Amino acid sequence: MKKLIPDCYWPEVSNGEYVSHEAVCVLNTGAAPVTVELTLYFEDREKLGGYQVTIPAERTKHIRLDQLVNVEGTAIPRGTPYAMVIEADQEVAVQYTRVDTTQSQLAIATTIV
């Protein structure tokens, strides 16, 4: 199973007490755990992979992308547009959310893929 999120962006700046961030929420309604792999694609550099998360059976997991590192310890870069491919070994539901606090009027964008 493959899900595509073409418009990702983690702002470099936060304003006030709320931190700008992105999250991917994964819902596994199946009877077995699911391994999810994230691969990032950029306009001006090679792709970044090795981001892996396991979602237990019949559970949801909210993956804060500002806290995620890959197997080499590399965090998702801030202030850089990218696209994300999410692959899982079973069917899951995925929701992407971006919280932008760069201005005093907070902004949130979300989509289900």
Side-chain angles (χ1 to χ4, degrees), residues 3 7-9 13 18 25 36-37 44 53-54 61 76-77 79 85 91-92 94 100 104 109:
K3 306 283 185 175
D7 182 25
C8 301
Y9 183 78
V13 179
Y18 298 106
C25 301
V36 174
E37 294 188 28
D44 60 353
V53 179
T54 299
K61 186 148 192 113
I76 294 174
V85 174
E91 187 65 32
V92 293
V94 175
D100 184 344
S104 58

Side-chain angles (χ1 to χ4, degrees), residues 7-14 19-23 40 42 51 64-69 74-82 96-102:
D7 182 25
C8 301
Y9 183 78
W10 176 24
E12 290 183 87
V13 179
S14 295
V19 176
S20 293
H21 68 275
E22 301 169 288
L40 313 180
F42 302 92
Y51 299 92
R64 283 276 301 259
L65 299 179
D66 59 316
Q67 299 170 355
L68 188 64
V69 294
T74 304
I76 294 174
R78 294 181 81 160
T80 304
Y82 66 97
Y96 167 81
T97 302
R98 178 187 308 149
V99 177
D100 184 344
T101 67
T102 57

Side-chain angles (χ1 to χ4, degrees), residues 29-76:
T29 61
V34 173
T35 299
V36 174
E37 294 188 28
L38 290 74
T39 304
L40 313 180
Y41 292 82
F42 302 92
E43 296 174 350
D44 60 353
R45 62 182 89 170
E46 293 299 313
K47 67 182 179 181
L48 261 177
Y51 299 92
Q52 205 172 62
V53 179
T54 299
I55 295 84
E58 299 179 336
R59 296 288 186 267
T60 186
K61 186 148 192 113
H62 293 71
I63 306 163
R64 283 276 301 259
L65 299 179
D66 59 316
Q67 299 170 355
L68 188 64
V69 294
N70 68 7
V71 293
E72 296 173 351
T74 304
I76 294 174

